[in-house]
Amino acid sequence: MRLAMEASPLLLLVSLTLLLATFLQAKAVPSLQDQAGALLAWKATLQSQPAQLQSWSRGNNTSTRPCSWYGIKCRKHQVSHQEVITGISLRGLRLRGDLDALNFTALETLTSVQLSHNKLTGRIPPSIVSLKELRFLLLRRNQIRGPLSPALASLTKLQYLMLQQNELFGEIPRQIGELEGLVKLNLSANHLSGPIPGELGYLNKLSMLDFSSNN
Ligand SMILES: *[C@@H]1O[C@H](CO)[C@@H](O)[C@H](O)[C@H]1NC(C)=O
Ligand SMILES: *[C@@H]1O[C@H](CO)[C@@H](O)[C@H](O)[C@H]1NC(C)=O
Ligand SMILES: *[C@@H]1O[C@H](CO)[C@@H](O)[C@H](O)[C@H]1NC(C)=O
Ligand SMILES: *[C@@H]1O[C@H](CO)[C@@H](O)[C@H](O)[C@H]1NC(C)=O
């Protein structure tokens, strides 16, 4: 009993330190090197390596410069002032591979993902919910399968959700109606079924909606 009481201030200090460390870790933006690592790891899984992606490499330096890679855009992060990746634009490169292998957790600073007109398969990765700054999700004309996750509602800044001409199935989640900033929503030419959720009526910035060619 006495021992426990003596130990408690130390325990408290240790717990506080741990708590602070967890908090700081949660707040920290991934480093540019970690972000580059996530892109290189994904590149390694692709079944096609278009010439444009030759720039995606570690070069012969230990620190990589992903901001000069093809299709990659960077900007200074507003809070941490470090350079971070904000855009991926790889439209029409006939990329063959699994979208699910892209670790979006490391790329949480993205505001724009443009991967339309490729041959990407797999589902929309669950790690996409990390993209709290995402405004443009453009995946038109790929072979992305699976249901639309209700968790897409956590992409609260989304303005363009363009998923047409894929192989999505299942119902349109009513949580899409929580994406208040949505301007364009195109889900045409998939295999979606079920009702059109009434919650979509809350999307008062929406200027385009296309659910044609589904079930
Ligand atoms: C290697 O690093 C140096 C200095 O850090 C830089 O000037 C140079 O451009 C880098 N080279 C490549 C290929 O990234
Ligand atoms: C490394 O970089 C230097 C100059 O930046 C270049 O001359 C050399 O060819 C590079 N080596 C390789 C293996 O890429
Ligand atoms: C994805 O990236 C995060 C953040 O950099 C990292 O903690 C995690 O281990 C990565 N996941 C995989 C499957 O590589
Ligand atoms: C939605 O996408 C389809 C297929 O790409 C396209 O034909 C259609 O014009 C788009 N809908 C609108 C309203 O722009």
Side-chain angles (χ1 to χ4, degrees), residues 157-208:
K157 294 197 179 162
L158 208 57
Q159 293 174 6
Y160 282 53
L161 181 57
M162 311 295 267
L163 304 177
Q164 67 269 38
Q165 296 169 287
N166 278 289
E167 290 165 26
L168 300 168
F169 54 80
E171 296 197 355
I172 298 168
R174 58 185 165 74
Q175 288 85 350
I176 300 273
E178 293 166 24
L179 296 171
E180 286 176 1
L182 212 56
V183 177
K184 294 195 178 195
L185 175 60
N186 196 336
L187 302 179
S188 76
N190 279 286
H191 313 295
L192 297 164
S193 55
I196 295 174
E199 283 82 353
L200 297 185
Y202 298 129
L203 299 173
N204 54 27
K205 296 205 175 112
L206 203 63
S207 66
M208 187 271 269

Side-chain angles (χ1 to χ4, degrees), residues 18 32 40 43-44 67 75 78 123 126 143 155 210:
L18 280 176
L32 200 51
L40 289 177
K43 181 190 173 188
C67 302
R75 202 176 297 155
Q78 281 188 345
R123 43 176 195 165
Q143 292 152 23
L155 306 178
D210 193 341

